[in-house]
Amino acid sequence: MDGVLVNSMEFHYQAYREVLSEFGRDLSREEYLGSLIGLRNYVILRRLLGNLPQEQIERLMAAKEAAFRRRVADNVQPLPGAAKLVRQAHQARLMQAIVSSTPCENIELVVNSLGLRSMFDTLVGEEDAQAGKPDPEGFLVAAERLSVPSVDCVVIEDAPEGIAGGKAAGTRCIGVTTTRPPEKLAQAGADLVVSSLEDERIWEFIAGV
């Protein structure tokens, strides 16, 4: 979702800065974009704050997500080509899922704000898979819910960790360079790399599965 359907990274970044300010820990945009995008909250918080007690981590996770939802509500816009592609796939009767490291409440908020909720057959959030990307679990959960073999699925991702997870699940993968350079996505195993979801090769790639 983040970096594919919507560019909500700035909202996540500002939400992290808000919760980190309690500890006097600043977070530069370069540090966040360079190595933390796509990771689960507890992984990011432990990397930035050390091995805090689980109870405290859970409190900070909840605070971060509340801050994100407060910022993103009614402020999110689809990335170029995203809404059109989702609607095109829906009209073609292709099944669609979102697999995200963010909680389902966030996913619901975003897709409802975009008017796209009815286009998705299932949403897989952080509470639906124990392991985050690059582990393939989330993608495998989505494929199982869709009753579609993972080898017949196409994953669209903006992060190398997501591409790696998709490949480990046996899917074909499209990398979109919203947040990472093309070479990083190619190195992770993307079968096709595009600069935006407006690229006409995406539909040809999906239709050829």
Side-chain angles (χ1 to χ4, degrees), residues 26-131:
D26 194 19
L27 176 64
S28 70
R29 189 171 278 101
E30 292 72 24
E31 182 180 7
Y32 179 66
L33 295 176
S35 61
L36 300 176
I37 288 178
L39 299 178
R40 293 199 165 190
N41 284 330
Y42 70 88
V43 176
I44 292 174
L45 290 168
R46 286 211 160 100
R47 282 193 185 182
L48 297 174
L49 298 173
N51 193 26
L52 295 175
Q54 182 63 25
E55 191 175 287
Q56 193 167 13
I57 288 291
E58 290 177 1
R59 177 181 66 81
L60 292 172
M61 287 168 55
K64 182 266 169 180
E65 294 306 338
F68 169 79
R69 287 190 289 271
R70 191 169 65 248
R71 286 170 166 79
V72 82
D74 300 321
N75 290 319
V76 69
Q77 297 293 325
L79 284 164
K84 180 182 177 181
L85 181 62
V86 168
R87 292 191 174 101
Q88 186 177 6
H90 183 69
Q91 289 168 1
R93 298 187 178 180
L94 297 180
M95 303 190 79
Q96 300 184 83
I98 289 178
V99 179
S100 177
S101 59
T102 198
C104 284
E105 186 177 353
N106 291 9
I107 303 173
E108 291 277 5
L109 174 62
V110 170
V111 293
N112 280 320
S113 296
L114 296 177
L116 297 176
R117 178 62 186 92
S118 63
M119 307 288 157
F120 292 98
D121 301 280
T122 191
L123 308 177
V124 178
E126 71 170 354
E127 55 267 70
D128 298 311
Q130 290 187 351

Side-chain angles (χ1 to χ4, degrees), residues 131-165:
K133 306 168 189 178
D135 192 280
E137 183 183 1
F139 297 115
L140 294 173
V141 168
E144 182 179 7
R145 289 183 180 178
L146 297 175
S147 299
V148 176
S150 60
V151 294
D152 293 332
C153 297
V154 173
V155 163
I156 303 178
E157 270 281 355
D158 68 308
E161 295 83 359
I163 296 291

